[in-house]
Amino acid sequence: MTMLVLKGIVKTFGNFTLRADFLEIPSGRIVCVKGPNGSGKSTLLNIIAGIVLPDSGKIFYNGIDITYLEPEKRRFPIIRSEKGIFPHMSVERNIKIAKRVDDNELNRILDLLKINHDDLEKRAGSLSTGWKIRVSLARGLASAPGVILIDEGLDHLDPWYIECCLKNLMSYMREKGIIALIVTHRDDIGCDETLVMINGLASLETKRNT
Ligand code: ADP
Ligand code: MG
């Protein structure tokens, strides 16, 4: 089974140390990442994305050691904030730049994110924050990711979108076997479980959310 496994991960910045002794996340699992400011949530996502290298420990995906694999080769897109989009490019270019799915699948993704045909021509920089996050999510999903890392992005979505479509987005990721790690302050995301970060220590809560 496809899985993301972190073993003995340690990363120190000055007097802050992140530790993830053992985390095992199966395919299609949606994990909410919670914890106070400065507890290491973003660092954990950056380590999984390959943007930050751990001082020690290993990361496996699909049984393969990817600890030192370049971020571009992991296909683990990270959605941080509206800054992830290319403002001078059209919505379409922003999404297609990383496209690996076929056109039918892309249409499904656009529908899930409520991006219609006319929207594709708009300049991405002119859009609202909630819109930019949806464009980033579309790009991430269109890359056929193994893992998607969302660092507070969902917290900036418009309430109407959360209401109509967030559940469908989650169902889509489960259907595709995508592992999602979602840093969020919201409690209505519908995650399968919660990963709690406290003072740099990561632990997966065994109790499942609904
Ligand atoms: P969170 O996302 O939970 O708010 P972060 O992972 O951003 O926490 O930060 C955890 C700690 O690591 C903080 O003390 C922060 O200052 C430190 N830190 C994060 N990235 C770096 C870096 N690139 N260089 C130095 N310190 C960093
Ligand atoms: Mg953060």
Side-chain angles (χ1 to χ4, degrees), residues 13 16 36-43:
F13 287 126
F16 171 83
N37 267 349
S39 60
K41 303 179 298 296
S42 295
T43 302

Side-chain angles (χ1 to χ4, degrees), residues 161-180:
Y161 181 80
I162 304 238
E163 178 116 347
C164 75
C165 312
L166 193 64
K167 266 212 173 93
N168 298 340
L169 190 68
M170 298 296 153
S171 304
Y172 178 82
M173 294 196 287
R174 288 191 186 97
E175 176 199 317
K176 295 290 165 189
I178 298 168
I179 291 169

Side-chain angles (χ1 to χ4, degrees), residues 59-74:
I59 304 175
F60 299 88
Y61 179 69
N62 232 345
I64 297 164
D65 183 348
I66 58 159
T67 315
Y68 300 106
L69 188 69
E70 295 90 325
E72 312 79 65
K73 294 191 181 153
R74 293 188 192 198

Side-chain angles (χ1 to χ4, degrees), residues 73-114:
K73 294 191 181 153
R74 293 188 192 198
R75 266 203 271 162
F76 294 176
I78 185 158
I79 289 124
R80 286 197 194 85
S81 68
E82 57 178 300
K83 294 191 186 84
I85 60 132
F86 303 106
H88 56 286
M89 289 185 194
S90 67
V91 168
E92 184 170 22
R93 279 287 292 153
N94 263 280
I95 295 169
K96 287 196 174 167
I97 206 158
K99 179 175 173 280
R100 278 170 182 268
V101 297
D102 64 24
D103 288 344
N104 277 341
E105 198 63 35
L106 181 64
N107 284 334
R108 233 188 121 189
I109 292 167
L110 294 176
D111 188 47
L112 275 170
L113 288 155
K114 295 290 164 239

Side-chain angles (χ1 to χ4, degrees), residues 17 21-22 28-29 31 48-49 52 63 71 98 112-114 142 146-147 178 190-191 193 200 209:
T17 298
D21 295 333
F22 187 75
R29 183 71 51 91
V31 179
I48 295 170
V52 168
L112 275 170
L113 288 155
K114 295 290 164 239
V147 176
I178 298 168
C191 292
E193 52 194 322
N209 293 331

Side-chain angles (χ1 to χ4, degrees), residues 96-150:
K96 287 196 174 167
I97 206 158
K99 179 175 173 280
R100 278 170 182 268
V101 297
D102 64 24
D103 288 344
N104 277 341
E105 198 63 35
L106 181 64
N107 284 334
R108 233 188 121 189
I109 292 167
L110 294 176
D111 188 47
L112 275 170
L113 288 155
K114 295 290 164 239
I115 298 171
N116 69 39
H117 204 74
D118 297 339
D119 298 325
L120 289 175
E121 290 163 22
K122 292 180 183 157
R123 205 177 65 89
S126 68
L127 303 170
S128 69
T129 302
W131 252 105
K132 287 173 184 162
I133 299 285
R134 280 188 283 129
V135 172
S136 297
L137 286 165
R139 182 205 294 147
L141 292 175
S143 72
V147 176
I148 193 162
L149 303 159
I150 306 177

